[in-house]
């Protein structure tokens, strides 16, 4: 561990007692100037460390998300052991796509994205200190194309479990993978697969997840203000962002690694179905060809949404280019 994080650890373990520069310097066998420099570096990372002249340093609660903060909380077997953290990045999905040496199970996390990507080439607004933005890179040995879209559903359920564990309130899912609370979207998921041209083999799957944690309604663009929310607006709970990141990675691992996906697909789809909130409602199905009203009926064994059109026909929708518009309540 670097000296900077050794100092942080000492401050964390001080139990609210001021630690003097001299004491830290002695315990780590470094100079007082080195202590002061590292404290400044920690403050720049966002740690709230107050310095009382001739008494010492005190660490206050700080909502810092970093590799150190996530790894400290991470209890996974494999996922996230290679963890790449960036205070600012264009997009964690883009980084994962452009970094060929990333191993299976690596996780890329950022505090802010300048070019966050959403589904259907939309932008995903990812301001600083407002949410958790992360991508999980998977390199499955053999996976059927049909199972790739189910991986996206795994991520949605992992988010639902995470928010419930941390706030006590269970969010719901809008097919395919938008996570909602009180009919406001609090999380978006974008899964991208890269396929080798010649062999058609899947090289990697990137599961990108963005959760809105702390925004107020006014923080959202007016175009989405009526339909977007954050965990804070919907539950009133403010939880450390690294708690979300670590629990989310763990919950994804539970379904993907521990559940030996796709062996658990059938049981998993039951859990997914139970988390959906609009079955039985009339929705607008929007594809690039047409838009039509239909009643959302069920999820089939492939994870497709079965809808009943107005003419009575049942149609199974594959996530592809289709989105659903809910009727306002
Ligand atoms: C959507 O709602 O349309 C999907 C949004 C997905 C956003 C996440 S944030 C982390 C990862 N990096 C990206 O650029 N996008 C995904």
């Amino acid at each position: 561990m670097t000296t900077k994080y050794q100092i942080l650890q000492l401050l964390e373990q001080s139990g609210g007692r001021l630690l003097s520069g001299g004491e830290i310097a002695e315990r780590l066998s470094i100079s007082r100037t080195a202590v002061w420099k590292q404290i400044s570096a920690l403050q720049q990372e966002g740690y709230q460390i107050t310095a009382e002249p001739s008494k010492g340093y005190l660490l206050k609660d700080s909502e810092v998300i970093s590799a150190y903060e996530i790894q400290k909380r991470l209890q996974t077997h494999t996922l996230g052991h290679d963890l790449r953290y960036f205070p600012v990045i264009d997009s964690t999905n883009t980084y994962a796509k452009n970094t060929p040496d990333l191993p299976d199970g690596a996780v890329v996390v950022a505090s802010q994205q300048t070019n966050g990507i959403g589904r259907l080439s939309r932008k995903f607004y990812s301001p600083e200190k407002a949410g958790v933005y992360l991508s999980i890179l998977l390199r499955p040995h053999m996976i059927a194309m049909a199972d790739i879209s189910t991986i996206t559903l795994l991520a949605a359920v992992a988010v639902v479990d995470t928010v419930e564990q941390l706030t006590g309130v269970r969010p719901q899912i809008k097919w395919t993978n938008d996570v909602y609370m009180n009919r406001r979207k609090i999380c978006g998921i974008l899964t991208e697969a890269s396929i080798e041209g010649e062999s058609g083999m899947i090289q990697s799957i990137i599961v990108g997840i963005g959760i809105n944690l702390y925004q107020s309604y006014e923080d959202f663009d007016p175009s989405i203000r009526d339909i977007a929310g954050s965990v804070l607006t919907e539950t009133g709970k403010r939880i450390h962002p690294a708690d979300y990141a670590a629990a989310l990675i763990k919950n994804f691992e539970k379904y993907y690694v521990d559940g030996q996906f796709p062996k658990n697909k059938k049981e998993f789809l039951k859990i997914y179905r139970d988390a959906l909130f609009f079955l039985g409602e009339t929705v607008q199905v929007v594809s690039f060809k047409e838009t039509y009203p239909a009643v959302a009926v069920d999820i089939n064994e492939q994870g497709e949404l079965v809808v009943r059109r107005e003419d009575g026909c049942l149609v199974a929708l594959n996530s592809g280019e289709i989105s659903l518009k809910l009727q306002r309540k």
Side-chain angles (χ1 to χ4, degrees):
M1 194 189 294
T2 60
T3 311
K4 184 169 74 175
Y5 289 114
Q6 284 177 319
I7 294 177
L8 184 62
Q9 240 178 11
L10 288 178
L11 291 169
E12 283 170 342
Q13 291 161 357
S14 78
R17 186 173 68 85
L18 284 158
L19 278 189
S20 72
E23 193 178 340
I24 298 173
E26 200 181 299
R27 287 179 64 176
L28 299 178
S29 308
I30 54 175
S31 68
R32 275 157 163 265
T33 319
V35 172
W36 175 80
K37 271 194 187 151
Q38 297 303 334
I39 294 267
S40 304
L42 286 166
Q43 285 167 329
Q44 270 182 8
E45 264 182 48
Y47 289 99
Q48 292 186 33
I49 301 170
T50 50
E52 291 204 21
S54 68
K55 284 191 182 158
Y57 299 104
L58 188 67
L59 174 67
K60 300 215 169 128
D61 275 349
S62 315
E63 284 174 351
V64 176
I65 187 162
S66 63
Y68 169 83
E69 291 294 336
I70 298 170
Q71 266 156 349
K72 196 167 77 180
R73 295 163 164 86
L74 200 61
Q75 293 161 338
T76 50
H77 310 302
T78 53
L79 290 195
H81 287 199
D82 186 324
L83 190 104
R84 315 267 168 113
Y85 167 75
F86 299 91
V88 187
I89 198 168
D90 54 350
S91 148
T92 54
N93 268 33
T94 306
Y95 176 88
K97 244 181 289 178
N98 296 340
T99 312
D101 66 338
L102 269 191
D104 179 34
V107 176
V108 186
V109 189
S111 290
Q112 182 187 358
Q113 296 185 118
T114 51
N115 197 15
I117 315 164
R119 279 186 66 221
L120 308 173
S121 313
R122 294 187 189 121
K123 261 190 90 107
F124 185 79
Y125 186 52
S126 323
E128 190 190 3
K129 297 200 169 113
V132 163
Y133 317 112
L134 64 78
S135 300
I136 302 173
L137 180 100
L138 305 170
R139 297 191 188 281
H141 295 303
M142 292 280 275
I143 187 152
M145 279 293 180
D147 290 338
I148 298 180
S149 50
T150 313
I151 290 182
T152 273
L153 312 186
L154 292 193
V157 176
V159 171
V160 167
D161 288 356
T162 300
V163 173
E164 184 181 26
Q165 277 162 11
L166 296 174
T167 67
V169 187
R170 189 162 178 84
Q172 292 175 304
I173 299 172
K174 178 181 151 222
W175 182 85
T176 51
N177 55 13
D178 289 335
V179 179
Y180 275 61
M181 294 186 107
N182 306 323
R183 298 181 86 87
R184 287 177 176 270
K185 177 167 161 175
I186 57 144
C187 165
I189 297 166
L190 174 69
T191 300
E192 300 182 272
S194 83
I195 295 163
E196 198 191 75
E198 276 173 30
S199 63
M201 294 279 285
I202 290 161
Q203 285 178 319
S204 63
I205 296 173
I206 296 158
V207 188
I209 306 167
I211 315 183
N212 301 332
L213 294 183
Y214 311 123
Q215 292 95 332
S216 65
Y217 297 131
E218 294 71 41
D219 291 335
F220 292 107
D221 189 85
S223 61
I224 56 168
R225 205 167 278 168
D226 281 352
I227 49 166
S230 68
V231 181
L232 182 63
T233 56
E234 303 316 306
T235 67
K237 300 244 165 76
R238 195 170 178 109
I239 313 263
H240 197 294
D243 285 343
Y244 280 102
L248 177 57
I249 299 166
K250 177 77 187 156
N251 281 318
F252 187 86
E253 181 173 88
K254 176 175 72 184
Y255 296 114
Y256 183 77
V257 183
D258 306 347
Q260 300 185 353
F261 182 79
K263 279 193 194 154
N264 59 345
K265 187 165 166 175
K266 207 167 161 195
E267 305 95 83
F268 167 75
L269 284 175
K270 280 199 201 109
I271 303 174
Y272 172 77
R273 186 189 183 284
D274 285 347
L276 292 174
F277 70 94
F278 62 93
L279 290 182
E281 284 184 25
T282 299
V283 295
Q284 292 290 326
V285 178
V286 183
S287 78
F288 62 94
K289 280 199 306 231
E290 55 178 341
T291 297
Y292 59 90
V295 176
V297 177
D298 207 353
I299 292 293
N300 69 16
E301 289 190 355
Q302 281 75 50
E304 295 166 331
L305 177 70
V306 180
V307 297
R308 185 179 301 107
R309 299 180 66 126
E310 282 186 323
D311 60 8
C313 260
L314 289 178
V315 189
L317 303 177
N318 193 289
S319 64
E321 293 289 294
I322 290 171
S323 59
L324 294 185
K325 279 210 170 74
L326 302 182
Q327 293 186 337
R328 297 296 305 160
K329 287 235 150 163

